[in-house]
């Protein structure tokens, strides 16, 4: 008889009674997704820049063609067109934030020629007025002489530049002789005109005051001391106004304001008239 206190050995459960182990879950790797996202982003950026480049090219080419046609410039006229900022959002908004055009030796009128730079803000794409506009015309001595030649009796052949003045030499008849008088003329803008006002007079190397000139030359002094006025209104569109003019480093720089409505108002696009 077996000992009642003896422990019987434990027998293993049969295979059918053992629950099957859950299969080990495979970890999904994240890096393929990251790469895919980066590829999509890269393609989107590339497409954006390609679209931006195409849009900028179309806008600048269109503006250049229209300006050359409007100003009747040669087809090969060097004309730089710059659009500030990103073009596509501006096209979507229907307005260019800032447009800059620049070219050399542009004839604005029969006698008004120079290097021109135009800056326009808020330019509508589908018509209407722009927010603001301005232009800078830079003339060398020869171009200034061509403009001043429109003034009767002006000694245009003696014109030179000595900042901040335009200098001329006037031959003043005194008895049987003629005395050359050097006159420094300061240019100012006055109601859209260029006015040259004597600022310094020199006779035989000596600077003289206006009073001394009147004492020496009498009534003839009016020829020396007079203001010279040149109208440029008939050389530019009616919607463009001369605001400021100065002599800087061997050139005459004219600053002009452009009426924003000039883009849609034919009256402002027409040639101006001298008063």
């Amino acid at each position: 008889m077996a000992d009642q206190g003896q422990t019987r050995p434990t027998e293993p459960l049969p295979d059918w009674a053992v629950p099957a182990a859950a299969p080990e879950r495979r970890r999904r790797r994240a890096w393929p997704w990251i790469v895919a996202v980066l590829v999509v982003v890269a393609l989107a950026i590339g497409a954006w820049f390609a679209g931006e480049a195409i849009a900028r090219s179309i806008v600048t080419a269109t503006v250049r063609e229209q300006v050359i046609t409007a100003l009747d410039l040669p087809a090969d006229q060097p004309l730089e067109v710059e659009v500030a900022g990103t073009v596509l959002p501006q096209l979507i908004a229907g307005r260019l934030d800032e447009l800059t055009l620049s070219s050399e030796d542009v004839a604005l009128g029969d006698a008004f020629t120079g290097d021109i730079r135009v800056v326009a803000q808020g330019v509508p794409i589908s018509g209407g007025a722009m927010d603001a506009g301005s232009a800078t015309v830079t003339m060398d001595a020869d171009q200034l002489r061509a403009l001043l030649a429109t003034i009767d009796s002006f000694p245009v052949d003696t014109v030179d530049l000595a900042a901040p003045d335009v200098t001329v030499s006037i031959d003043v008849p005194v008895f049987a002789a003629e005395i050359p008088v050097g006159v420094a003329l300061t240019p100012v803008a006055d109601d859209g005109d260029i006015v040259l006002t004597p600022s310094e007079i020199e006779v035989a190397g000596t600077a003289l005051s206006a009073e001394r000139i009147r004492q020496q030359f009498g009534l003839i002094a009016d020829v020396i001391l007079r203001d010279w006025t040149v109208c440029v209104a008939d050389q530019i569109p009616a919607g463009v106004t001369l605001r400021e003019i100065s002599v800087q480093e061997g050139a005459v720089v004219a600053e002009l304001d452009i009426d924003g409505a000039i883009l849609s108002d034919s009256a402002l696009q027409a040639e101006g008239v001298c008063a």
Side-chain angles (χ1 to χ4, degrees):
M1 188 173 181
D3 187 357
Q4 293 182 356
Q6 186 177 356
T7 303
R8 297 180 63 183
T10 303
E11 295 182 1
L13 295 172
D15 293 342
W16 57 267
V18 178
E24 183 181 354
R25 298 184 62 183
R26 296 181 60 186
R27 288 188 175 183
R28 303 185 68 179
R29 296 179 178 177
W31 68 264
W33 291 90
I34 296 174
V35 171
V37 170
L38 292 177
V39 169
V40 171
V41 170
L43 291 175
I45 293 175
W48 169 267
F49 280 110
E52 169 69 14
I54 294 171
R56 183 176 295 275
S57 176
I58 293 174
V59 169
T60 55
T62 301
V63 170
R64 184 183 186 280
E65 180 181 352
Q66 290 184 353
V67 170
I68 285 180
T69 301
L71 296 181
D72 195 23
L73 299 175
D76 59 350
Q77 174 78 25
L79 176 63
E80 293 185 9
V81 180
E82 299 177 15
V83 182
T86 307
V87 174
L88 283 175
Q90 298 179 58
L91 293 180
I92 295 172
R95 210 169 189 83
L96 299 178
D97 295 337
E98 183 172 289
L99 184 66
T100 302
L101 300 91
S102 56
S103 186
E104 297 180 352
D105 299 328
V106 177
L108 300 178
D110 295 335
F112 196 5
T113 303
D115 300 343
I116 187 169
R117 183 174 186 270
V118 177
V119 179
Q121 288 93 25
V123 181
I125 294 173
S126 58
M130 63 183 176
D131 294 343
S134 62
T136 301
V137 180
T138 303
M139 297 176 285
D140 59 25
D142 287 337
Q143 291 167 334
L144 177 64
R145 292 186 191 102
L147 181 60
L148 297 181
T150 61
I151 306 176
D152 291 338
S153 304
F154 191 83
V156 65
D157 293 337
T158 67
V159 168
D160 205 348
L161 301 177
D165 298 318
V166 175
T167 62
V168 296
S169 179
I170 301 174
D171 291 331
V172 179
V174 178
F175 300 112
E178 287 190 343
I179 299 177
V181 177
V183 183
L185 302 167
T186 302
V188 296
D190 182 17
D191 196 23
D193 294 336
I194 299 174
V195 179
L196 301 171
T197 302
S199 59
E200 184 175 310
I201 298 94
E202 186 178 281
V203 180
T206 302
L208 300 178
S209 65
E211 182 180 355
R212 182 71 179 275
I213 288 291
R214 294 192 184 281
Q215 289 176 350
Q216 278 195 279
F217 295 99
L219 295 177
I220 301 177
D222 291 340
V223 176
I224 304 171
L225 300 175
R226 63 167 290 187
D227 289 344
W228 301 87
T229 300
V230 54
C231 175
V232 294
D234 61 350
Q235 303 285 321
I236 55 180
V240 180
T241 305
L242 177 68
R243 169 172 43 86
E244 184 179 349
I245 188 165
S246 60
V247 180
Q248 305 174 12
E249 299 179 358
V252 177
V253 180
E255 302 287 349
L256 304 100
D257 290 329
I258 303 175
D259 191 317
I262 195 172
L263 297 182
S264 55
D265 190 334
S266 58
L268 296 178
Q269 297 170 7
E271 187 177 271
V273 179
C274 290

